[in-house]
């Protein structure tokens, strides 16, 4: 194959992937009416387990309740974002909810609901030092959103040893 043919093939593949990605985002959005879609909820729950590993209650019932609360708080936080940020987040969540998107952006082979915290942590470690800026941005967005919500909730402060804000005399 000559160089021109390779360039044409590459351009055609890029267009095809772009159209496919846009189609997925339209068919399976990450946010529906400002709320996380079921697949996005599963994704955020798995990310919360991995990013905040060791911060959740030991009891499976308590942990499940706290994770449900975490996802609800993420949803409430996202609702306050500007429309353009919500649209971008919806696209990222939509892409990550598909197997090719998840594998391409995170390198994670397992579905979010089946992946272990260690697998997600390993994928995130690779994303954090990736030479591809998009992978780093996705990693930071997912990590930061979960940490922001978790550490701003005063009910979590005792778990992490934070006594709360000091009283100023």
């Amino acid at each position: 194959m000559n160089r021109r043919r390779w360039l044409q093939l590459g351009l055609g593949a890029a267009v095809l992937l772009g159209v496919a990605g846009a189609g997925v985002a339209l068919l399976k959005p990450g946010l529906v009416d400002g709320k996380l879609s079921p697949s996005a909820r599963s994704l955020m729950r798995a990310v919360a387990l991995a990013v905040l590993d060791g911060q959740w209650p030991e009891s499976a019932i308590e942990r499940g309740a706290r994770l449900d609360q975490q996802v609800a708080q993420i949803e409430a936080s996202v609702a306050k974002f500007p429309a353009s940020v919500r649209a971008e987040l919806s696209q990222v969540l939509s892409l990550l909810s598909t197997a090719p998107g998840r594998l391409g952006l995170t390198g994670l082979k397992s579905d979010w609901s089946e992946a272990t915290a260690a697998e997600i942590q390993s994928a995130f470690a690779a994303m954090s030092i990736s030479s591809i800026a998009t992978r780093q941005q996705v990693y930071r967005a997912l990590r930061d959103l979960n940490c922001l919500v978790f550490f701003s909730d005063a009910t979590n402060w005792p778990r992490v040893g934070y006594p709360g804000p000091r009283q100023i005399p």
Side-chain angles (χ1 to χ4, degrees), residues 21-150:
V24 166
L26 291 173
L27 295 174
K28 191 176 182 181
L31 298 174
V32 179
D33 296 326
K35 298 194 181 280
L36 295 170
S37 67
S39 59
R41 292 181 74 76
S42 175
L43 183 158
M44 292 307 272
R45 187 179 178 95
V47 169
L49 271 171
V51 169
L52 298 162
D53 190 30
Q55 303 303 321
W56 301 109
E58 293 295 322
S59 161
I61 294 171
E62 281 183 63
R63 185 173 49 253
R66 286 294 302 123
L67 283 166
D68 289 343
Q69 183 179 354
Q70 171 82 358
V71 172
Q73 289 171 325
I74 287 171
E75 212 168 55
S77 293
V78 167
K80 297 174 189 171
F81 291 170
S84 60
V85 174
R86 285 194 312 270
E88 287 179 13
L89 181 61
S90 181
Q91 291 172 354
V92 168
L93 294 174
S94 175
L95 187 59
L96 289 173
S97 294
T98 67
R102 182 186 65 248
L103 186 60
L105 277 175
T106 68
L108 189 62
K109 294 176 184 169
S110 303
D111 189 58
W112 292 105
S113 60
E114 298 167 0
T116 65
E119 289 172 332
I120 296 170
Q121 289 166 349
S122 177
F124 274 20
M127 290 171 70
S128 72
I129 59 171
S130 175
S131 61
I132 301 170
T134 302
R135 291 186 76 211
Q136 288 184 12
Q137 291 171 334
V138 168
Y139 157 72
R140 288 186 187 117
L142 294 174
R143 179 203 61 193
D144 292 356
L145 184 56
N146 270 282
C147 288
L148 172 90
V149 166
F150 183 86

